[in-house]
Amino acid sequence: MTLARERLAAFGNAMLGLPRQLPQLALRSIKPNRALIEWCKETIASGHLPVVLCRIERLGDIVATTAVAGHLRQTHGPRARIAWVCAAEYVSLLAGNPDIDAVFVEPCLTTWMMVRRHLAPQTLIVELFLDSDRCCWTGLRVKQHKTGWSIHNYYCGGNSLLAAYSAAAGCPVPDLPPQLPRFVRQRAARLPAPAAAKPRVAVHFSSRDPARSWPIENARTFCHAALAAGCELIELGNERLVSAQPSPVACLPPGSEIASHVEALATVDCFVGVDSGFAHCANALEVPALVLLGAFRNFSGYFPYSGPHARGPLWRCLRSEGSLAQLTPGNVSAALLQLLAAGRLWEQGRGADYRAAVATDAPEHQPPFRQAVAKS
């Protein structure tokens, strides 16, 4: 699907849902988010600096930019009080983050702009979105000023999502890992599996962007091979592609919250999937991962992940220079078995053995970190 068609489809979907949202939009225009407004006032009255970060939707975008909160905490010190504004389904992801003092709900960018103008002028507002971002309810662009960052250039020059969004917000952040402290603690508390146990692998093969989805036939063939090799599989996400019954692939109950899927991801030995929000969650949890990347729009060799885990020995990108469909189930199965073997060596404290084992393998595709630069 071309970029123009993607934008047209997004706008069309927003227009179809707009009649259902009009009552809430009307109410929000009369009664904006009083809790957020009062929080800013109380923070100022207590002698602190209110910092409000806004990233409303998309799991991967929110997880990738969580490092911005910690960066701002270090920049402004104990004087800062940091809040995050997002849609309701993402609130639980930010719970337990020591760098975020409060989380407020806004369902879309249009309602955010309604409350934004009521915030105290002393408030530091950090909007983590691009010039080209549209409201999921109204389909409108709401960016008040142009930053030079858009869907046309945000991955240029090896930029990660964190680098692009933080630069667009006017606060460039170094190559820091995403932060999901609550789920990291759950992963750290898991019991190590015995050597003879079947490796548990989380899979996810769909994306909002069709170009980043792996064909369902390929995904199912891969899952059959992984099961035959002795793996236990669990499919993440509420869109069931490979766990449709009858299937030996496990899944969560329909309609499960995003947090439940992330909790399941925290228990596995490895993640295999496309560039999606769950891949960013795997990065935050330091889960060994095999990420499938193909050609995407006009970007060559794009790499959206940040932090040391995504550039380390247990994070592998299997790339296709063309369509993602060109990655065969056999290619992915072989790469998974190698990654699982590497993970075993790593957990046994044999990192040097792992590095020696992969020294003759194809070079990794992770580029070195670069300072984010918007390119037209």
Side-chain angles (χ1 to χ4, degrees):
M1 184 183 292
T2 65
L3 180 56
R5 288 181 179 176
E6 286 180 32
R7 290 157 62 185
L8 183 61
F11 185 78
N13 290 336
M15 290 298 97
L16 288 174
L18 184 57
R20 299 193 306 271
Q21 319 298 356
L22 282 176
Q24 190 168 347
L25 285 170
L27 180 62
R28 290 277 183 158
S29 68
I30 300 171
K31 296 182 178 180
N33 194 327
R34 299 303 307 175
L36 174 57
I37 295 170
E38 292 303 317
W39 180 85
C40 290
K41 290 180 180 178
E42 292 170 3
T43 299
I44 294 169
S46 66
H48 293 91
L49 171 68
V51 180
V52 179
L53 293 89
C54 178
R55 180 67 222 179
I56 299 288
E57 61 166 353
R58 283 190 176 255
L59 174 61
D61 295 352
I62 290 175
V63 174
T65 54
T66 50
V68 176
H71 177 72
L72 291 173
R73 177 77 75 194
Q74 287 196 343
T75 300
H76 297 282
R79 179 170 172 260
R81 291 293 180 268
I82 299 174
W84 195 294
V85 178
C86 63
E89 58 263 39
Y90 302 109
V91 170
S92 58
L93 292 176
L94 305 173
N97 189 324
D99 294 317
I100 300 175
D101 300 300
V103 181
F104 297 94
V105 173
E106 286 294 340
C108 68
L109 285 175
T110 299
T111 61
W112 158 247
M113 296 310 294
M114 290 176 180
V115 70
R116 186 189 193 280
R117 63 176 182 265
H118 294 284
L119 300 183
Q122 301 96 318
T123 303
L124 174 60
I125 297 174
V126 181
E127 295 177 317
L128 297 164
F129 46 91
L130 309 174
D131 297 348
S132 53
D133 281 5
R134 294 179 180 272
C135 175
C136 59
W137 277 17
T138 65
L140 301 175
R141 290 181 183 173
V142 295
K143 193 83 172 182
Q144 292 187 323
H145 61 280
K146 298 299 180 183
T147 65
W149 290 90
S150 73
I151 52 177
H152 299 289
N153 63 11
Y154 70 135
Y155 279 149
C156 289
N159 295 328
S160 66
L161 274 181
L162 172 64
Y165 279 119
S166 63
C171 59
V173 172
D175 187 49
L176 299 174
Q179 300 294 323
L180 294 175
R182 166 191 164 194
F183 302 97
V184 168
R185 288 193 293 271
Q186 291 175 340
R187 179 163 179 79
R190 72 186 182 118
L191 296 174
K198 291 183 176 181
R200 300 190 71 232
V201 180
V203 298
H204 182 70
F205 299 114
S206 64
S207 169
R208 286 190 183 184
D209 300 302
R212 290 194 271 195
S213 295
W214 203 32
I216 182 61
E217 297 81 6
N218 289 14
R220 288 173 176 167
T221 301
F222 160 77
C223 288
H224 287 312
L227 290 166
C231 297
E232 292 183 356
L233 303 184
I234 179 169
E235 183 173 25
L236 303 177
N238 287 317
E239 182 183 4
R240 297 184 179 182
L241 299 180
V242 296
S243 56
Q245 296 300 322
S247 171
V249 179
C251 61
L252 273 68
S256 295
E257 295 183 355
I258 291 175
S260 299
H261 292 273
V262 180
E263 288 172 353
L265 178 59
T267 68
V268 302
D269 299 297
C270 181
F271 168 80
V272 179
V274 298
D275 177 26
S276 67
F278 291 117
H280 287 278
C281 292
N283 186 21
L285 298 174
E286 296 189 355
V287 173
L290 176 63
V291 183
L292 314 183
L293 298 175
F296 180 56
R297 295 177 181 161
N298 60 316
F299 304 114
S300 175
Y302 78 101
F303 188 77
Y305 310 102
S306 63
H309 179 62
R311 299 175 193 281
L314 297 183
W315 186 276
R316 305 208 59 197
C317 291
L318 199 59
R319 288 187 183 272
S320 166
E321 296 303 321
S323 166
L324 201 57
Q326 295 177 9
L327 289 180
T328 69
N331 296 146
V332 180
S333 300
L336 168 63
L337 294 179
Q338 184 186 49
L339 182 60
L340 287 171
R344 293 290 190 190
L345 291 173
W346 199 265
E347 286 193 348
Q348 294 167 11
R350 296 168 58 193
D353 292 344
Y354 165 69
R355 291 191 179 90
V358 300
T360 58
D361 189 25
E364 297 292 329
H365 293 280
Q366 287 82 315
F369 172 70
R370 301 182 181 89
Q371 182 65 41
V373 178
K375 296 185 179 181
S376 57

